[in-house]
PDB file of all heavy atoms in Angstrom:
ATOM      1  N   ASP A 224      27.005  -1.375  20.231  1.00  0.00           N
ATOM      2  CA  ASP A 224      26.444  -1.526  21.590  1.00  0.00           C
ATOM      3  C   ASP A 224      24.958  -1.846  21.556  1.00  0.00           C
ATOM      4  O   ASP A 224      24.446  -2.648  22.339  1.00  0.00           O
ATOM      5  CB  ASP A 224      26.712  -0.276  22.420  1.00  0.00           C
ATOM      6  CG  ASP A 224      28.137  -0.219  22.981  1.00  0.00           C
ATOM      7  OD1 ASP A 224      28.718  -1.288  23.190  1.00  0.00           O
ATOM      8  OD2 ASP A 224      28.607   0.894  23.223  1.00  0.00           O
ATOM      9  N   CYS A 225      24.245  -1.152  20.634  1.00  0.00           N
ATOM     10  CA  CYS A 225      22.786  -1.411  20.515  1.00  0.00           C
ATOM     11  C   CYS A 225      22.502  -2.820  20.054  1.00  0.00           C
ATOM     12  O   CYS A 225      21.586  -3.488  20.530  1.00  0.00           O
ATOM     13  CB  CYS A 225      22.152  -0.400  19.554  1.00  0.00           C
ATOM     14  SG  CYS A 225      22.023   1.244  20.244  1.00  0.00           S
ATOM     15  N   ILE A 226      23.289  -3.333  19.102  1.00  0.00           N
ATOM     16  CA  ILE A 226      23.066  -4.675  18.600  1.00  0.00           C
ATOM     17  C   ILE A 226      23.315  -5.663  19.762  1.00  0.00           C
ATOM     18  O   ILE A 226      22.546  -6.584  19.990  1.00  0.00           O
ATOM     19  CB  ILE A 226      24.032  -5.019  17.431  1.00  0.00           C
ATOM     20  CG1 ILE A 226      23.741  -4.064  16.260  1.00  0.00           C
ATOM     21  CG2 ILE A 226      23.855  -6.466  17.021  1.00  0.00           C
ATOM     22  CD1 ILE A 226      24.834  -4.095  15.197  1.00  0.00           C
ATOM     23  N   LEU A 227      24.377  -5.427  20.511  1.00  0.00           N
ATOM     24  CA  LEU A 227      24.704  -6.312  21.608  1.00  0.00           C
ATOM     25  C   LEU A 227      23.640  -6.278  22.703  1.00  0.00           C
ATOM     26  O   LEU A 227      23.254  -7.277  23.269  1.00  0.00           O
ATOM     27  CB  LEU A 227      26.080  -5.937  22.199  1.00  0.00           C
ATOM     28  CG  LEU A 227      27.247  -6.373  21.296  1.00  0.00           C
ATOM     29  CD1 LEU A 227      28.530  -5.602  21.694  1.00  0.00           C
ATOM     30  CD2 LEU A 227      27.474  -7.849  21.334  1.00  0.00           C
ATOM     31  N   LEU A 228      23.160  -5.092  23.016  1.00  0.00           N
ATOM     32  CA  LEU A 228      22.217  -4.921  24.109  1.00  0.00           C
ATOM     33  C   LEU A 228      20.835  -5.418  23.712  1.00  0.00           C
ATOM     34  O   LEU A 228      20.212  -6.225  24.426  1.00  0.00           O
ATOM     35  CB  LEU A 228      22.168  -3.465  24.542  1.00  0.00           C
ATOM     36  CG  LEU A 228      21.173  -3.114  25.668  1.00  0.00           C
ATOM     37  CD1 LEU A 228      21.468  -3.911  26.943  1.00  0.00           C
ATOM     38  CD2 LEU A 228      21.235  -1.615  25.996  1.00  0.00           C
ATOM     39  N   TYR A 229      20.312  -4.946  22.581  1.00  0.00           N
ATOM     40  CA  TYR A 229      18.873  -5.236  22.256  1.00  0.00           C
ATOM     41  C   TYR A 229      18.720  -6.493  21.412  1.00  0.00           C
ATOM     42  O   TYR A 229      17.619  -7.037  21.378  1.00  0.00           O
ATOM     43  CB  TYR A 229      18.316  -4.038  21.493  1.00  0.00           C
ATOM     44  CG  TYR A 229      18.456  -2.747  22.257  1.00  0.00           C
ATOM     45  CD1 TYR A 229      19.186  -1.656  21.697  1.00  0.00           C
ATOM     46  CD2 TYR A 229      17.869  -2.564  23.496  1.00  0.00           C
ATOM     47  CE1 TYR A 229      19.304  -0.466  22.397  1.00  0.00           C
ATOM     48  CE2 TYR A 229      18.040  -1.375  24.222  1.00  0.00           C
ATOM     49  CZ  TYR A 229      18.731  -0.340  23.646  1.00  0.00           C
ATOM     50  OH  TYR A 229      18.908   0.823  24.325  1.00  0.00           O
ATOM     51  N   GLY A 230      19.757  -6.925  20.741  1.00  0.00           N
ATOM     52  CA  GLY A 230      19.656  -8.109  19.904  1.00  0.00           C
ATOM     53  C   GLY A 230      20.282  -9.343  20.512  1.00  0.00           C
ATOM     54  O   GLY A 230      19.944 -10.467  20.121  1.00  0.00           O
ATOM     55  N   MET A 231      21.255  -9.128  21.405  1.00  0.00           N
ATOM     56  CA  MET A 231      21.980 -10.271  21.926  1.00  0.00           C
ATOM     57  C   MET A 231      21.923 -10.296  23.460  1.00  0.00           C
ATOM     58  O   MET A 231      22.600 -11.172  24.078  1.00  0.00           O
ATOM     59  CB  MET A 231      23.424 -10.280  21.412  1.00  0.00           C
ATOM     60  CG  MET A 231      23.439 -10.243  19.851  1.00  0.00           C
ATOM     61  SD  MET A 231      25.081 -10.370  19.181  1.00  0.00           S
ATOM     62  CE  MET A 231      25.440 -12.101  19.562  1.00  0.00           C
ATOM     63  N   HIS A 232      21.208  -9.372  24.039  1.00  0.00           N
ATOM     64  CA  HIS A 232      20.975  -9.357  25.482  1.00  0.00           C
ATOM     65  C   HIS A 232      22.257  -9.296  26.275  1.00  0.00           C
ATOM     66  O   HIS A 232      22.342  -9.963  27.341  1.00  0.00           O
ATOM     67  CB  HIS A 232      20.107 -10.579  25.898  1.00  0.00           C
ATOM     68  CG  HIS A 232      19.149 -10.252  27.009  1.00  0.00           C
ATOM     69  ND1 HIS A 232      18.166  -9.266  26.876  1.00  0.00           N
ATOM     70  CD2 HIS A 232      19.070 -10.700  28.263  1.00  0.00           C
ATOM     71  CE1 HIS A 232      17.501  -9.226  28.002  1.00  0.00           C
ATOM     72  NE2 HIS A 232      18.025 -10.048  28.885  1.00  0.00           N
ATOM     73  N   ARG A 233      23.211  -8.560  25.769  1.00  0.00           N
ATOM     74  CA  ARG A 233      24.460  -8.357  26.583  1.00  0.00           C
ATOM     75  C   ARG A 233      24.166  -7.096  27.412  1.00  0.00           C
ATOM     76  O   ARG A 233      24.322  -5.980  26.953  1.00  0.00           O
ATOM     77  CB  ARG A 233      25.631  -8.127  25.669  1.00  0.00           C
ATOM     78  CG  ARG A 233      25.947  -9.317  24.775  1.00  0.00           C
ATOM     79  CD  ARG A 233      26.546 -10.491  25.501  1.00  0.00           C
ATOM     80  NE  ARG A 233      27.970 -10.343  25.647  1.00  0.00           N
ATOM     81  CZ  ARG A 233      28.890 -11.070  24.984  1.00  0.00           C
ATOM     82  NH1 ARG A 233      28.517 -11.979  24.145  1.00  0.00           N
ATOM     83  NH2 ARG A 233      30.174 -10.853  25.218  1.00  0.00           N
ATOM     84  N   LEU A 234      23.748  -7.347  28.646  1.00  0.00           N
ATOM     85  CA  LEU A 234      23.184  -6.253  29.471  1.00  0.00           C
ATOM     86  C   LEU A 234      24.272  -5.323  30.012  1.00  0.00           C
ATOM     87  O   LEU A 234      23.914  -4.308  30.611  1.00  0.00           O
ATOM     88  CB  LEU A 234      22.355  -6.833  30.610  1.00  0.00           C
ATOM     89  CG  LEU A 234      21.150  -7.631  30.179  1.00  0.00           C
ATOM     90  CD1 LEU A 234      20.385  -8.197  31.396  1.00  0.00           C
ATOM     91  CD2 LEU A 234      20.206  -6.832  29.308  1.00  0.00           C
ATOM     92  N   ASP A 235      25.530  -5.632  29.712  1.00  0.00           N
ATOM     93  CA  ASP A 235      26.559  -4.668  30.113  1.00  0.00           C
ATOM     94  C   ASP A 235      26.883  -3.627  29.055  1.00  0.00           C
ATOM     95  O   ASP A 235      27.659  -2.723  29.277  1.00  0.00           O
ATOM     96  CB  ASP A 235      27.829  -5.408  30.531  1.00  0.00           C
ATOM     97  CG  ASP A 235      28.242  -6.482  29.541  1.00  0.00           C
ATOM     98  OD1 ASP A 235      27.406  -6.915  28.732  1.00  0.00           O
ATOM     99  OD2 ASP A 235      29.423  -6.875  29.574  1.00  0.00           O
TER     100      ASP A 235
END
Side-chain angles (χ1 to χ4, degrees):
Chain A
D224 280 332
C225 287
I226 299 166
L227 287 163
L228 179 58
Y229 305 119
M231 304 185 71
H232 216 62
R233 300 286 277 251
L234 298 179
D235 48 341

